[in-house]
Amino acid sequence: MLITHDTRCALDTVVDLVNSAPEDDTSTDGLQDVAALADFVRNHEISDVGVLSEFDLSAVRKIRGRFAGIFAAPDARAAAGMINELVAAAGTTPRLTDHDGYDWHVHYFAPGASVADHLAADCGMALAFFVVAGEQERLRRCEAPDCRRAFVDLSRNRSRRYCDSRTCGNRLHVAAYRARRKEATG
């Protein structure tokens, strides 16, 4: 599957957006306030965004939950339905652009769109490409028992089971190795 630069950026953005949600009642929201949203926008180089407000923060948190649903979708049909609703509500207006030193690429958000509509359109379309390619199962959640972070499995054989953010796979492999050694030494 060919993944263009702008699609890869949108995938990274949507994964980080989904993972910014608090995991439980004790963890903090990665989008705690408008300043955190502004940092998110800046760190992900989201272009054409005006002055952010509490309304933007609320709207982005709502679409974050909708994106989380796509990563939890049981099949391509369910994911497609969620993506269609998300992208349609954003009022997509595909257009070619070459800005900030990047060659020609497609933006799906309408000029002057809110940051939430911008994310819904561009990130929604990036996820749509995976469903169209028959690769929806690459949109995953970490299989570590104490982690449910979202990630996109870009491995050749679709074998990735753990996120990168917490070295979940490494921790589980080390624990299994230690348990085997302990059992062997009795």
Side-chain angles (χ1 to χ4, degrees):
M1 177 176 184
L2 175 66
I3 300 173
T4 62
H5 171 76
D6 51 319
T7 299
R8 181 59 195 252
C9 289
L11 290 172
D12 291 343
T13 300
V14 72
V15 164
D16 288 348
L17 179 62
V18 169
N19 290 336
S20 73
E23 293 181 32
D24 53 36
D25 293 337
T26 62
S27 57
T28 60
D29 192 324
L31 295 177
Q32 202 165 6
D33 52 27
V34 175
L37 177 59
D39 287 343
F40 183 88
V41 166
R42 186 175 35 264
N43 292 339
H44 289 86
E45 299 178 353
I46 300 170
S47 61
D48 201 18
V49 174
V51 177
L52 299 171
S53 67
E54 288 291 332
F55 177 81
D56 292 309
L57 179 61
S58 176
V60 169
R61 285 178 177 165
K62 284 179 187 166
I63 65 155
R64 174 179 67 186
R66 296 180 76 186
F67 278 126
I70 294 166
F71 278 85
D75 55 40
R77 183 165 305 283
M82 288 184 256
I83 292 168
N84 283 339
E85 289 175 13
L86 192 64
V87 171
T92 58
T93 305
R95 62 190 168 98
L96 286 167
T97 184
D98 65 339
H99 62 87
D100 299 327
Y102 295 108
D103 205 358
W104 290 105
H105 59 282
V106 179
H107 280 188
Y108 295 95
F109 60 93
S114 70
V115 67
D117 285 345
H118 179 135
L119 291 168
D122 273 359
C123 295
M125 290 304 300
L127 297 178
F129 296 142
F130 277 77
V131 174
V132 168
E135 301 284 351
Q136 180 262 336
E137 74 275 0
R138 289 183 182 268
L139 309 177
R140 297 196 174 156
R141 292 289 191 158
C142 184
E143 292 182 19
D146 59 341
C147 181
R148 295 298 298 147
R149 294 178 65 84
F151 68 93
V152 178
D153 179 3
L154 297 177
S155 66
R156 282 188 184 174
N157 62 356
R158 300 176 192 92
S159 62
R160 191 168 151 207
R161 296 173 42 208
Y162 307 106
C163 69
D164 288 337
S165 64
R166 298 182 182 174
T167 62
C168 291
N170 189 43
R171 282 187 300 113
L172 290 172
H173 289 114
V174 167
Y177 170 76
R178 288 181 178 157
R180 285 192 307 271
R181 291 217 37 196
K182 184 177 180 180
E183 186 177 301
T185 58

